Amino acid sequence: MEKVGYILLGLFAGCWLVGMLAGFIAAFPFGLFGLLALGGIGLLFAKVVKERLASKEDDHYSRTVDK
């Protein structure tokens, strides 16, 4: 059930992102600022995910600390 929720949320976020990109392209000269901002956010998100996947300390605490 939880996985279905994550899949639906991911699909919605993907559609929303496509809509934003289409809007930025439609507003061409001023839309470039939005595309740059969206690209910056994407790069920061990729950096956070990369660091989280490489962190052995976070994995240790998520496995051993009582919830």
Side-chain angles (χ1 to χ4, degrees), residues 45-58:
F45 181 72
K47 180 182 182 277
V48 167
V49 170
K50 179 183 169 188
E51 287 178 357
R52 173 60 187 98
L53 291 175
S55 176
K56 301 219 184 284
E57 184 178 353
D58 287 344

Side-chain angles (χ1 to χ4, degrees), residues 1-14:
M1 195 59 115
E2 183 179 355
K3 289 182 182 183
V4 173
Y6 284 132
I7 290 171
L8 290 175
L9 189 60
L11 287 173
F12 175 76

Side-chain angles (χ1 to χ4, degrees), residues 7-44:
I7 290 171
L8 290 175
L9 189 60
L11 287 173
F12 175 76
C15 291
W16 183 64
L17 184 63
V18 168
M20 282 181 46
L21 288 173
F24 288 147
I25 292 170
F28 172 61
F30 300 107
L32 290 177
F33 296 118
L35 286 173
L36 289 173
L38 193 61
I41 291 170
L43 289 173
L44 288 174

